[in-house]
Amino acid sequence: MTSTKTLLTFDEYLAYDDGTDTRYELVDGELVAMPPESPENNAIARGLLVELLKYFPLALVAHKDTEVEVSGRRARCRIPDLLVHTEESAAALVGTNRATITRDMPPPALAIEVVSPGEANRIRDYRYKRTEYAARGIAEYWIVDPEAHQVTVCQWVEGQYEDTVVREDEAIRSTVVPALELTVNQLFALGMQI
């Protein structure tokens, strides 16, 4: 017996409502439920949110609530843990009924993912999302990895990401947040404050 999956288009994804509070990403036309994060990952993301608000107005910072349409074999949409808008990407969302940055809108300046436990999550954040965010033209993508106790800062240089891995007492250097004064140890201490 053969079974077939129903693949959604991007427009069908935007209209999808199963009557639950489940959040989904769209990966090659398939809905992928986003499980709840660990308390540590949530604390790290909230701590980073507080840090980013020192440098940007609240209207330019999103915390687990803004989707980004990206390229793939079929329709794809991601929900970064944190996102910093450009003035243009924030303006493009004014008047819309959903916080979704579509491919015809300007990209955000920064996407941040806090890696969840598990090999599949590591592959998704280090490989797939890195490629998708690069193709979308997002200036920086940070991969915050509590398990490896490191942050990989991917910066857009001449059409591709160049990676810098920072650990321990090394400061996170950012072209999007040039005044940031935060070491990796300080960042992960935010996750211990739960």
Side-chain angles (χ1 to χ4, degrees):
M1 188 165 168
T2 306
S3 68
T4 59
K5 290 183 182 179
T6 301
L7 299 176
L8 301 179
T9 65
F10 187 69
D11 288 336
E12 290 169 333
Y13 167 74
L14 292 177
Y16 183 80
D17 182 1
D18 63 3
T20 71
D21 290 335
T22 305
R23 293 179 18 192
Y24 296 96
E25 286 188 335
L26 184 67
V27 180
D28 293 333
E30 292 184 47
L31 291 175
V32 177
M34 302 305 297
E37 289 284 353
S38 70
E40 178 187 20
N41 281 24
N42 280 333
I44 291 168
R46 281 191 309 271
L48 267 172
L49 173 64
V50 170
E51 285 297 316
L52 291 171
L53 291 174
K54 294 175 183 176
Y55 306 98
F56 298 100
L58 181 59
L60 292 183
V61 182
H63 178 251
K64 300 183 184 206
D65 64 0
T66 300
E67 303 168 305
V68 179
E69 182 184 15
V70 295
S71 299
R73 291 183 321 188
R74 289 187 161 74
R76 283 184 179 235
C77 196
R78 298 296 191 176
I79 306 170
D81 291 319
L82 291 154
L83 179 143
V84 174
H85 284 284
T86 60
E87 294 285 343
E88 295 79 12
S89 68
L93 290 176
V94 172
T96 62
N97 63 357
R98 185 171 175 150
T100 303
I101 300 172
T102 59
R103 284 188 280 178
D104 62 337
M105 295 176 175
L110 171 63
I112 300 173
E113 298 286 359
V114 181
V115 181
S116 298
E119 189 60 26
N121 294 321
R122 297 181 70 69
I123 291 169
R124 181 188 68 221
D125 289 347
Y126 276 95
R127 182 176 178 184
Y128 297 116
K129 288 185 180 181
R130 183 186 184 284
T131 302
E132 293 162 359
Y133 292 156
R136 189 64 178 83
I138 297 173
E140 278 186 18
Y141 169 42
W142 297 1
I143 306 167
V144 178
D145 191 335
E147 188 175 301
H149 203 77
Q150 68 183 28
V151 176
T152 303
V153 178
C154 309
Q155 294 178 325
W156 188 255
V157 178
E158 297 180 14
Q160 64 183 5
Y161 279 150
E162 288 187 4
D163 299 351
T164 303
V165 178
V166 287
R167 296 178 181 90
E168 300 177 4
D169 288 323
E170 295 175 321
I172 299 167
R173 299 285 177 229
S174 170
T175 57
V176 174
V177 197
L180 181 70
E181 294 183 14
L182 185 69
T183 69
V184 173
N185 284 342
Q186 290 169 329
L187 168 63
F188 287 114
L190 299 172
M192 302 307 291
Q193 299 173 12
I194 56 176

